[in-house]
Amino acid sequence: MTPGNNGASTPEDEDPFGYLYADGQANGAQPPTGSYGYPGSVNRVRAVGERQYGQPQAQAPTAAYGQVPQQQGYGQPNAHYAAPETQPGGAPTTRQAPAGPGGGGRGRGPNTKGLLIGAIAVVAAVVIGIGVAMMGGNGNKKDTAGGASSGPTTSQSGSPSASSSASAAAGELPKIDAKALRLEGGTTTASDVKGAKADGGIYVAGFNAVGAAVTWSVDVPANGKYTLHTGYGVPGVDATATLTINGTPLDSPLKLANWAQAPQGDWEKGWTKTYNYIQLNKGTNTIRISCEQGNQCNANLDQLWLTNGWSKN
């Protein structure tokens, strides 16, 4: 075969794409009609399930040479396509909502109500905690073991309740009969007035003169507040004395009142007790009861004892 003679074949047969070029078209090149790999073979659209094995299929029409095939409108049904749901026994056409957590038809979002209740509970707990802390801070503050005091601080004297003797009997802090105290200024022991609670009914008399005194050296386990209880007897009239703690007299006197409401002159029915709030230091302390100028000291002394804190009980 020579350049001047190409045999029976024509250029459009040798070049299957000759119809795309101007010179190929001038020589009469025509587009293929349905051969594999050409446009005519890709437009054979058919509905799903339409083709039967072994039967010829209808050829889809192709556009004329040089014309653009008409495009399917977006969203419009295609006559050559049938969706699976249109066939007998096909898939359902309605979209199924996913089952919710409880197996119902519609799922639920997060439980915002539960979260809100939980947040409110947390805020309430914080407010309550702050309130309790503030209430606790306003209460009476107890002295610690390191808070030593230079003086007795305050004095409170009055008629103790019936539980005072029970507190003393517990033996938590020292208790002493007046006869065991250091006696000064003409004080002495006696037992002729009945009703004293000290061992053997022995009490301290002769306290009704200026300069008379009794002194108690007592040990306590820690610095802090204590209550001094005094058992005494008066003849139906009030008496007073001076109370001195570690060398410092209290501002107010020790009131030896007629709490028993005994008739005047009746010593035997005049036995009673009182209390004073004092501040003591860890270790040995000196408690002194004396008759000073301005006191009315006509009283017999029976017992002394301590309890923790400032309480008449």
Side-chain angles (χ1 to χ4, degrees):
M1 188 178 298
T2 66
N5 183 12
N6 290 327
S9 299
T10 63
E12 59 271 20
D13 293 331
E14 291 183 357
D15 185 1
F17 301 99
Y19 70 95
L20 297 175
Y21 312 110
D23 55 345
Q25 295 176 10
N27 292 326
Q30 295 294 324
T33 57
S35 298
Y36 177 76
Y38 292 100
S41 65
V42 299
N43 197 26
R44 293 176 295 174
V45 180
R46 63 186 63 86
V48 176
E50 177 182 307
R51 182 175 181 177
Q52 300 296 327
Y53 179 77
Q55 295 182 5
Q57 303 300 316
Q59 182 72 29
T62 60
Y65 175 72
Q67 296 182 1
V68 179
Q70 184 177 359
Q71 299 296 322
Q72 180 78 22
Y74 179 77
Q76 297 180 359
N78 192 325
H80 299 287
Y81 174 76
E85 58 268 20
T86 63
Q87 301 300 322
T93 58
T94 57
R95 184 176 180 180
Q96 300 296 323
R106 179 176 297 179
R108 295 183 300 175
N111 189 355
T112 56
K113 183 177 181 181
L115 294 176
L116 179 61
I117 293 175
I120 293 174
V122 171
V123 173
V126 172
V127 172
I128 293 173
I130 293 174
V132 172
M134 294 179 64
M135 292 175 63
N138 293 332
N140 293 332
K141 297 181 179 179
K142 294 182 179 181
D143 288 349
T144 59
S149 174
S150 59
T153 307
T154 60
S155 174
Q156 175 67 38
S157 181
S159 176
S161 65
S163 60
S164 296
S165 59
S167 176
E172 295 180 357
L173 287 171
K175 180 178 182 179
I176 190 170
D177 290 341
K179 65 180 181 178
L181 301 174
R182 187 174 68 208
L183 307 182
E184 306 172 31
T187 55
T188 186
T189 59
S191 58
D192 51 319
V193 177
K194 307 300 181 182
K197 295 184 179 299
D199 184 29
I202 299 174
Y203 54 90
V204 172
F207 190 69
N208 57 348
V210 174
V214 294
T215 302
W216 185 20
S217 294
V218 60
D219 291 340
V220 295
N223 301 329
K225 300 174 182 178
Y226 295 86
T227 300
L228 172 67
H229 302 267
T230 303
Y232 64 95
V234 289
V237 294
D238 295 339
T240 60
T242 298
L243 178 62
T244 302
I245 305 298
N246 293 324
T248 303
L250 270 63
D251 295 336
S252 57
L254 170 61
K255 297 179 181 179
L256 304 174
N258 181 27
W259 299 118
Q261 298 182 357
Q264 186 172 358
D266 191 340
W267 285 91
E268 189 170 328
K269 291 183 180 180
W271 293 108
T272 186
K273 53 196 171 185
T274 189
Y275 63 92
N276 290 82
Y277 298 151
I278 61 176
Q279 186 85 20
L280 298 178
N281 302 322
K282 180 180 180 180
T284 303
N285 295 263
T286 300
I287 299 175
R288 188 171 189 266
I289 299 175
S290 61
C291 183
E292 307 293 342
Q293 291 289 346
N295 293 143
Q296 302 294 328
C297 309
N298 195 19
N300 294 326
L301 302 180
D302 187 9
Q303 293 178 313
L304 300 179
W305 66 93
L306 294 173
T307 55
N308 283 303
W310 286 0
S311 173
K312 65 182 181 179
N313 294 328

